[in-house]
Amino acid sequence: MPLRSKVRALGFVLLIVFAGVWPLLLESRAQDAAGEAPNPTAQSVTEQQLLQQRRRIEGRITIPDPNAATLEQPQGRTYQAFHERVLPWIGGVAILGMLVALAAFYLIRGPITLDRPLTGTRIKRFVWIERFAHWLTAASFIILAVTGLNYVFGKRLLMPLMAPEAFATWSQWAKYMHNAFPWPFMLGVLMMIGLWLRDNLPDRYDIEWLRQFGGFFSHRHPPAGRFNAGQKLIFWSVALGGLTLIGSGLVMLFPFSSAGIGGTQVAQYVHATAAMVLVAIILAHIYIGTIGMPGAVDAMVSGDVDLAWVSEHHRVWFEEEGARTADGPQLGQGAVPAE
Amino acid sequence: MRIIVTSIVVAVLLATAAGAVFSMAQKPVYQARAMASVRIDDPGENLVGPDWSGLHKITPNSTKVSHAERP
């Protein structure tokens, strides 16, 4: 065999041997790098795989609190993002937006006054139990609103103005009040629903009242029964919003008794959002009941309103009451029956 | 005006009564969840530290909370 052929044959053999040995060398080097032992940690299920499969990471515990077994729950981060980023924007836009709108309305329209002078004769508009239910709810709601807003805005707005210890003490007491005052609030809301539900059902005057926007800009007084469409919207906001706050609040007042961690977080979404919207609506209610409409607050303080006031703002109810009690037993001494 | 004062007083009384019932019926978790073999320590009052944003991160080489890093 010529020398050239021998060299070719030798090269071919070496190539085959090298091709067979090379993968073994690579595996050996990999085992050397890993301490020459298999790595169970690298081959076991990862945290990310567990999260993708079960949506949470749980373990086994020996203490009687089952919630402590949950080590990681990504929905908590979603809730945190809502509470820390989305909710302050919802509250800020709703409350500040309403304040700006009311200020603009006051500057443009001014107070809604009467076309005729007061008569000096007053008619009973709300009896004591109605006013009691209103103010019981109002007092409770103001405390709940202030202490509830502290959850969201306190650390942003109050804490920079006071020492951290003072803010912590205030927040602790605010939490106590937020847990205690729902009970008079519940009583008040249920009383108002029972007392005023019938008078707040839709009637034929509501569409016209809404179409004229209560006559706020046309300086007219569209006909209305005991409650006009705007007051009915406030009533249903308080009734439905109040029941929403009560239901979601009870879920949180008794943690994990009726819902798990996911249900509790949903309750917080609902509770916080409904509360922000209701605070904004009540600001409008407070405005129109005080400086927005002179004479309106008398109905809830003394219970009596002037005949001129009720004949313009609640003409239909005024006529119904006049027809129903032609002798005027509901009027004060010396009062005249409604025409 | 008397009805307003009455309503506020009733609200405060109801809230105080509810708070008293709550304080009798409910216990802090470190008391309610403790048992003969497991004692849970009082966690103290301020559980979050000076940064209340809830957005602070744990630094890689330390177990202490860093308030400098925020997403």
Side-chain angles (χ1 to χ4, degrees), chain B residues 9-63:
Chain B
V9 170
V10 171
V12 171
L13 289 176
L14 281 173
T16 306
V21 171
F22 263 131
S23 63
M24 285 189 292
Q26 294 187 321
K27 288 188 289 188
V29 69
Y30 68 91
Q31 291 177 4
R33 299 299 191 185
M35 50 195 294
S37 60
V38 178
R39 185 179 66 84
I40 306 172
D41 197 12
D42 182 347
E45 295 180 356
N46 187 355
L47 305 182
V48 295
D51 185 353
W52 290 46
S53 68
L55 302 176
H56 48 241
K57 286 183 174 179
I58 305 289
T59 54
N61 300 321
S62 170
T63 56

Side-chain angles (χ1 to χ4, degrees), chain A residues 255-267:
Chain A
F256 305 113
S257 58
S258 58
I261 185 69
T264 306
Q265 286 172 348
V266 170

Side-chain angles (χ1 to χ4, degrees), chain A residues 63-64 80 84 135 155 180 183, chain B residues 7 15 18 22 35 38 52-54:
Chain A
I63 61 174
Q80 187 190 51
E84 296 301 322
W135 289 114
K155 65 190 174 193
W183 304 99
Chain B
S7 305
F22 263 131
M35 50 195 294
V38 178
W52 290 46
S53 68

